[in-house]
Amino acid sequence: MWRAGSMSAELGVGFALRAVNERVQQAVARRPRDLPAIQPRLVAVSKTKPADMVIEAYSHGQRTFGENYVQELLEKASNPKILSLCPEIKWHFIGHLQKQNVNKLMAVPNLFMLETVDSVKLADKVNSSWQKKSSPERLKVMVQVNTSGEESKHGLLPSETVVVVEHINAKCPSLEFVGLMTIGSFGHDLSQGPNPDFQVLLSLREELCKKLSIPTEQVELSMGMSMDFQHAVSVPLGAFIHLKGRV
C-alpha cells in the first residue's frame, strides 16, 4: 500500500493524491508501446482514517476506496456525511472475510467490489447473501491468490484458482467475477528482476482465460503496494491493475 499518512497530515490529502497519481502516470509511460493504453485504477485504502479524510479525498476526485475490516467499513460507509457528500463512492473490501461476517458486509452502502473470495464455500455464502438483497446488479468479486505461498497470507493456491472461478461463473448467478488479487511477498529486490508474484498472477490469468474461454481484457488484476506499485504498473499486463494506496 502506498503509505502517505504523514504527507496527508502535513500537506493535505489532495497533494498526496496528486503525488501518487503522478508516479502512476510515470510508470504508465514506461510500459511497452505495443500494449493497450489502459489506465490503472487507484484504490485508496482508508483503513483507520476518519470520514472527513475520505470526504476530502473524494472532493479531489478519488472515487474508489478500500477497507480491511467489515465493521469499520460498515460504520464509515453508513456515515451520514459520506452518504450525503460522496454519492458516487465505490467501496472495495480488501481484507480477509470470514463467513460469519458476510451478511454484515453485504449491508454496506455503495459496496462495489469484494476482492478476497478465497473458497467455493465463501463464494456460495456471498452469492446467497447478495441475492437476498434483490439488487439489480451483480456484486463484482475478485478471487484472492496466495502467489507467494506464505502461510501468514490468505488466498487460494494458484492450482486451485481455475476451479473456484469456474464455480463462481457457473453456480453464483448474483456474483460477477472480474479478476484476480494478490498481496504477494514484501520487500522484493527489483534489481534482481520482476516481482515473481506479479509474474505468477499474470501467468495464472493467461491459463484461466484459456481454459475458461474468457477474454483477457475482462480479467483485471489487483496488486501493487507502497514499495512496488510503480513496478506493478510497468509490468506488461495489458489489462486493468488495481493499485492500493493509503489515503
Side-chain angles (χ1 to χ4, degrees):
M1 300 174 186
W2 178 64
R3 302 181 186 277
S6 60
M7 183 181 293
S8 298
E10 296 172 8
L11 300 175
V13 172
F15 181 93
L17 281 171
R18 285 193 299 274
V20 74
N21 277 310
E22 286 176 3
R23 292 170 66 190
V24 168
Q25 294 310 314
Q26 290 169 3
V28 168
R30 292 195 295 269
R31 300 184 75 203
R33 297 297 181 184
D34 59 341
L35 293 178
I38 298 176
Q39 186 66 24
R41 294 193 185 108
L42 173 66
V43 179
V45 179
S46 49
K47 178 181 67 174
T48 74
K49 303 302 181 183
D52 287 345
M53 189 170 286
V54 172
I55 293 169
E56 184 178 356
Y58 185 95
S59 72
H60 287 281
Q62 183 65 29
R63 293 293 181 267
T64 305
F65 295 82
E67 288 281 341
N68 291 68
Y69 305 111
V70 174
Q71 185 60 37
E72 182 180 357
L73 171 55
L74 181 60
E75 293 175 359
K76 201 170 294 181
S78 302
N79 184 290
K81 290 176 66 177
I82 288 181
L83 287 172
S84 174
L85 298 174
C86 309
E88 298 177 355
I89 197 167
K90 297 177 180 179
W91 292 106
H92 286 221
F93 186 73
I94 59 175
H96 177 59
L97 179 60
Q98 297 177 316
K99 287 191 286 293
Q100 64 263 33
N101 289 328
V102 167
N103 290 338
K104 184 181 291 186
L105 178 65
M106 298 301 102
V108 168
N110 297 308
L111 179 66
F112 183 75
M113 186 182 296
L114 166 61
E115 294 195 19
T116 51
V117 173
D118 60 3
S119 71
V120 165
K121 290 183 178 179
L122 180 59
D124 287 340
K125 176 69 174 177
V126 172
N127 178 71
S128 176
S129 184
W130 189 258
Q131 208 166 38
K132 292 174 183 177
K133 289 187 61 171
S134 299
S135 173
E137 298 181 356
R138 293 182 293 166
L139 176 65
K140 299 181 186 299
V141 298
M142 287 188 161
V143 168
Q144 182 177 1
V145 185
N146 187 347
T147 53
S148 64
E150 296 172 86
E151 292 184 2
S152 60
K153 290 186 170 65
H154 297 285
L156 295 165
L157 294 173
S159 60
E160 300 171 331
T161 306
V162 173
V163 172
V164 174
V165 172
E166 189 172 28
H167 178 85
I168 292 172
N169 287 341
K171 303 294 185 181
C172 300
S174 294
L175 306 183
E176 179 186 0
F177 168 73
V178 297
L180 304 174
M181 182 272 246
T182 190
I183 294 176
S185 58
F186 299 113
H188 173 70
D189 184 357
L190 294 178
S191 67
Q192 302 300 311
N195 189 317
D197 292 309
F198 296 171
Q199 300 300 316
V200 168
L201 207 63
L202 175 60
S203 298
L204 188 57
R205 182 178 66 178
E206 293 175 354
E207 176 189 352
L208 174 74
C209 291
K210 183 177 181 179
K211 289 185 176 180
L212 302 184
S213 299
I214 302 174
T216 304
E217 62 271 15
Q218 291 183 11
V219 180
E220 305 180 15
L221 301 178
S222 178
M223 60 191 198
M225 299 295 191
S226 57
M227 300 302 293
D228 57 15
F229 74 86
Q230 288 174 287
H231 173 60
V233 176
S234 301
V235 172
L237 298 170
F240 285 109
I241 308 172
H242 292 277
L243 309 168
K244 300 179 183 68
R246 284 276 176 88
V247 172

